[in-house]
Structures are given as C-alpha cells and as structure tokens.
Amino acid sequence: MPNLPPGSDPSISVLLNCLHREPHRFPTKQLTEMNRKQWKRLGDCATEHRVVPLLYQRLMAAGDGIQTEASRSSLEYMSAYSRQVSKNNLLFYGELRKLLSALDEKNIPVILLKGIYLAEHVYENRGLREMNDMDLLFKKEHLEIVYQLLTEMGYQPISHVYMNDINQIIQINKHLPRLIKKDVAGIEIHWNITKPGRSYHIEPDGIIQRASPINKAGVNALSLTAEDLLLHLCLHTSYQHNFAFGLRPFCDLKTVIDRFDKLDWDEVCSRSAEYGWRRGVLLSLVIAKDFLGADVPEDIIKRLHADDSIPALVETARRQILTKKEDSKAAGNAVITFASAEGLTGKTSAVIKRLFISKDQMIAKYPIRPGSPMIYLWYLVRFGQMIWFHTSKILRVSRGDPEYTGIIERKEELHSWLNKEN
C-alpha cells in the first residue's frame, strides 16, 4: 500500500494503486467490491489531480471484471472526459504546428517545455496527458517577433505588453504575460525556466545549448535533454509550486524515467548540485518512487540525500500534494508572507511591501509606459485588487482557521527546507 498521511481519503490509495508502475499493485478485487459512491469519489479524485485519462486507460486494460453496475456511470464519465482531453490536445497541436511552421520559415528555434512535449513525445498516447497551456522557450532576441506572430494568429495577452519594455520584464520574470485565444490552450513565451532573484535561479544558456532537435509531421522544434526535462519537472513541482500541484507531476516523472531508459543519472546528480536544486530533486523523486513506483535507483537517492530531516519533509510534502488544489492555491505567497511576519509591525510591513512594489515590477505587471504618471493611478488599482483578493484570506489567518493555517505552515516548512544551502 502507498504511504499516505493519516486520515487520507481511501480513494487516493485506490487511485495510486491503479496508477502504480508495478502491475501487481492494481487493485482489481477492491475495484470490483466498490459501490457507486466509492466509484464516484475515485473519479472525483482523478479529476482533482488531473489524471483521469491515465486512470481510465488502466481501468480499461483491466478487462470486463470491473465494469459493474456500480462502476458504470463513473466509467462513462471518465470515458467522456478522456475523449474531451484528446479532442482538446488535437486542437492544441494543430495550433502548435501552425506556429512551428511560421517559426521554421524565420529560422527561429523553439524548445517545447512540459506538457506540450510530454503528451506527444513521452506518453504513449497524446490524449493521456491533460494540459491547459503550452510553454515554449525562446532565446531573448526572438521574443518580440514571436509575440507578433502569435498576435497575428489571434492570440491576445492577458495584460498588455509594451515590447519596448522587454528588458524590464526580463529582470523580474521568466515569461511574457500569458497569451490566450478562444477554445485553444494559452501560450507562455519563456526565455528562462526560473525567475530572477530566486534561490534556485539559473541562466538558460546551458539547457538551450544542450537541447535536442525533434521532428513531427515535417515540423521542426527542440526539446530539453532527458536529464534537463527530469530536472525541470522536479523544479516545477518543488521550488516553484511547493508540492501543491497534485499527483500529475509524479505521473510525469514516472513516465519520463520509464521512457528514457538510458537516463544519465550522474548528470542528474551533478546538475542538481550545480543548480542548487538537490533538495527539490531529491524530494520529488522520493515521492514519485513512494507513490507510483518510479524507477529511481536507490543509490541516486543516497547521493542526493540532503540531511536527516528528509523523512519529516516527505510526510509534509505528501500532505501538501493531497491537499485540495483550490485550498492550497488560496494560500499564496502574499498570505504566507503575512502569516509568517511577527507582530502588528511585521504584518503591516509585509502588507505595505506587497502593495508598493517597485516601478519596474509595476511596468511588467500592468499596461504602463515607462515614465508615465499613470503609474500612480495603477498603484490605486493594485490596492483595490489586493483588498479584493486577499482580505478574506488574511481574516482566515487572523482567526486561526486550522485547515488554512495548516496549509500555510506546510508551505512555509517546505519553502524553508528547499531553500537551505545544499
């Protein structure tokens, strides 16, 4: 059985055993004995963790034995859900092909990141990997022309971008504001996979230079090496999301490790140390192995081992992974900073710092031209946004809401441990 925190939903155990790498873990007997309510809960868990197509594939491979009167409506739901994911992904890849063709004509290289690469090139079927955006990595000098190409294709940024301000945006972010188009996955134009100023920040030159060419239906693109892909997935779920992204990242890790059977684990270890990501990589791989049987060699776990606190951190991370995503998302960085500040003076200071960010940050976040006096009006807009978004959350902290403060405490614990020096 998977190692789950006390009090975990029993459906999570069933879900993990269904998705586990080892076939003998598949819970055939338990599935045949489940009632309609339990089947509904299993479907809800898979939806929450965005792994419905993977679960449905495993269930269909199990044969007719699990197709009972109790399971019928849930299996029909999973079937419809999986067909919709396949339909969406087909549409997304059609859009991607158009963009890649235009980039190819202009000789602009692009690296496919995360889901848009995983679904097509790592999973055995592109319909198995749900996604809602396309992350694409470019060299800095190509950002403006790529942005123009996408706007010509009908994409619009969620907040206006003055391309003359690109250097200021680069200083505080890793991608331009998300571009969206009706009925199509959003697109994020990256020039890096890490934000400046973070403890885990790296320059992108190395991963760009190591990128490998891929060709699909006559269209050229690039992908990260298998080792860089694995590291990026660990980075994303640990440092960038504090394990608040559910089970899907660990399905990705398990699948990548299986897909690239000649993965260079020495490179994974050496780059983890070089980038300062060793703790995040270790914790991500330990959980992928624990939850889903990811084929991580034991000697690699030992080589990455950070300190004797790892068992406690694994337990904290497990709890965070299984926390409802909407609840975990509500406890964002602003709320955590407020909660961790000591006394009225500390909390007041935290609020002021969050409200009155630098002018460069304001220009990157809002449609403000450099030097425009309109920036002061936008500070008022920001003040209203902060009140709207965070007042109820701050009140929950102030009241000592145990569930909410538990999420914050776990995030603080993980953040503190991850950002210790290796």
Side-chain angles (χ1 to χ4, degrees):
M1 297 293 288
N3 293 315
L4 297 177
S8 296
D9 187 334
S11 297
I12 289 293
S13 178
V14 177
L15 177 60
L16 289 174
N17 282 324
C18 286
L19 299 177
H20 201 278
R21 182 172 179 271
E22 298 296 335
H24 72 270
R25 294 286 291 269
F26 190 83
T28 304
K29 185 175 185 297
Q30 192 172 1
L31 288 166
T32 58
E33 295 173 350
M34 281 169 36
N35 60 36
R36 187 171 299 179
K37 183 177 180 181
Q38 290 168 323
W39 271 102
K40 168 91 169 46
R41 183 60 196 141
L42 177 62
D44 290 344
C45 284
T47 303
E48 169 73 19
H49 291 276
R50 302 190 70 188
V51 294
V52 171
L54 283 171
L55 173 62
Y56 184 67
Q57 181 205 44
R58 294 293 181 90
L59 293 173
M60 290 299 95
D64 296 336
I66 63 164
Q67 298 185 40
T68 63
E69 184 63 30
S71 69
R72 181 177 299 159
S73 61
S74 292
L75 290 175
E76 287 174 352
Y77 161 76
M78 292 182 207
S79 175
Y81 191 110
S82 299
R83 288 197 303 272
Q84 188 61 50
V85 169
S86 293
K87 181 181 176 181
N88 290 344
N89 287 0
L90 185 64
L91 180 63
F92 301 163
Y93 278 104
E95 284 291 303
L96 178 65
R97 232 174 250 113
K98 293 176 190 176
L99 175 60
L100 293 181
S101 296
L103 294 171
D104 211 19
E105 288 178 7
K106 297 180 182 294
N107 199 30
I108 296 176
V110 54
I111 298 175
L112 310 185
L113 299 175
K114 294 189 300 183
I116 198 64
Y117 173 73
L118 292 168
E120 180 83 354
H121 298 275
V122 175
Y123 283 87
E124 61 189 63
N125 179 328
R126 69 163 61 145
L128 292 177
R129 187 18 167 101
E130 186 177 349
M131 54 185 168
N132 62 356
D133 57 20
M134 295 185 272
D135 295 272
L136 308 174
L137 179 64
F138 297 90
K139 293 180 179 179
K140 292 177 185 178
E141 59 264 32
H142 295 141
L143 296 177
E144 184 172 355
I145 191 167
V146 173
Y147 177 82
Q148 290 171 346
L149 277 172
L150 285 168
T151 55
E152 289 168 7
M153 289 174 63
Y155 287 85
Q156 296 297 322
I158 57 173
S159 60
H160 189 74
V161 177
Y162 293 110
M163 293 313 294
N164 291 338
D165 308 338
I166 191 65
N167 288 331
Q168 288 178 298
I169 298 176
I170 286 173
Q171 299 304 313
I172 65 167
N173 215 329
K174 59 181 178 177
H175 57 73
L176 294 179
R178 192 165 181 258
L179 290 135
I180 56 174
K181 181 179 178 180
K182 187 178 179 182
D183 298 327
V184 180
I187 292 181
E188 288 188 348
I189 303 173
H190 287 251
W191 57 85
N192 203 342
I193 59 172
T194 60
K195 281 186 177 183
R198 300 295 195 269
S199 63
Y200 52 82
H201 174 71
I202 64 166
E203 292 299 327
D205 300 356
I207 61 173
I208 291 174
Q209 289 168 6
R210 289 189 295 269
S212 306
I214 52 176
N215 184 287
K216 198 72 175 178
V219 179
N220 297 313
L222 296 167
S223 69
L224 300 180
T225 65
E227 295 75 25
D228 285 335
L229 173 61
L230 185 77
L231 289 169
H232 185 206
L233 294 174
C234 291
L235 164 79
H236 188 255
T237 193
S238 60
Y239 292 100
Q240 294 178 335
H241 286 283
N242 275 342
F243 297 97
F245 225 60
L247 291 173
R248 192 182 65 183
F250 306 98
C251 293
D252 290 343
L253 287 170
K254 174 178 69 74
T255 307
V256 165
I257 294 167
D258 283 344
R259 171 70 174 79
F260 298 101
D261 56 351
K262 294 183 179 178
L263 193 70
D264 190 334
W265 286 104
D266 287 336
E267 282 295 316
V268 171
C269 290
S270 63
R271 284 181 206 159
S272 297
E274 177 189 347
Y275 296 162
W277 298 356
R278 191 158 57 92
R279 290 171 179 268
V281 171
L282 169 65
L283 200 46
S284 300
L285 294 178
V286 166
I287 291 170
K289 186 178 181 74
D290 174 37
F291 273 176
L292 298 168
D295 191 17
V296 184
E298 284 296 337
D299 67 305
I300 298 303
I301 299 293
K302 291 177 183 176
R303 285 175 61 180
L304 290 168
H305 196 77
D307 57 43
D308 292 336
S309 62
I310 184 67
L313 267 296
V314 169
E315 179 65 16
T316 300
R318 285 193 194 110
R319 287 183 176 277
Q320 197 61 19
I321 292 161
L322 300 179
T323 297
K324 276 193 173 183
K325 189 177 176 183
E326 62 186 57
D327 293 338
S328 191
K329 188 177 179 181
N333 291 334
V335 177
I336 291 171
T337 301
F338 176 83
S340 60
E342 295 185 4
L344 180 60
T345 301
K347 292 188 184 300
T348 302
S349 175
V351 170
I352 290 172
K353 285 180 180 178
R354 188 72 182 183
L355 284 173
F356 298 103
I357 58 177
S358 72
K359 290 184 178 181
D360 284 347
Q361 289 174 309
M362 287 292 292
I363 289 169
K365 286 179 175 291
Y366 300 99
I368 308 167
R369 291 188 182 277
S372 170
M374 292 295 289
I375 193 170
Y376 299 106
L377 178 60
W378 280 101
Y379 272 115
L380 290 176
V381 171
R382 180 171 177 77
F383 181 75
Q385 288 177 335
M386 293 297 101
I387 291 175
W388 176 261
F389 288 131
H390 296 301
T391 297
S392 63
K393 301 169 189 175
I394 288 173
L395 287 174
R396 288 182 72 180
V397 172
S398 301
R399 289 196 300 263
D401 181 325
E403 183 177 349
Y404 196 58
T405 54
I407 295 171
I408 291 171
E409 287 169 2
R410 289 196 295 273
K411 282 193 170 185
E412 286 182 312
E413 183 182 357
L414 288 164
H415 177 81
S416 175
W417 185 82
L418 288 168
N419 287 279
K420 286 181 180 177
E421 291 187 11
N422 288 327

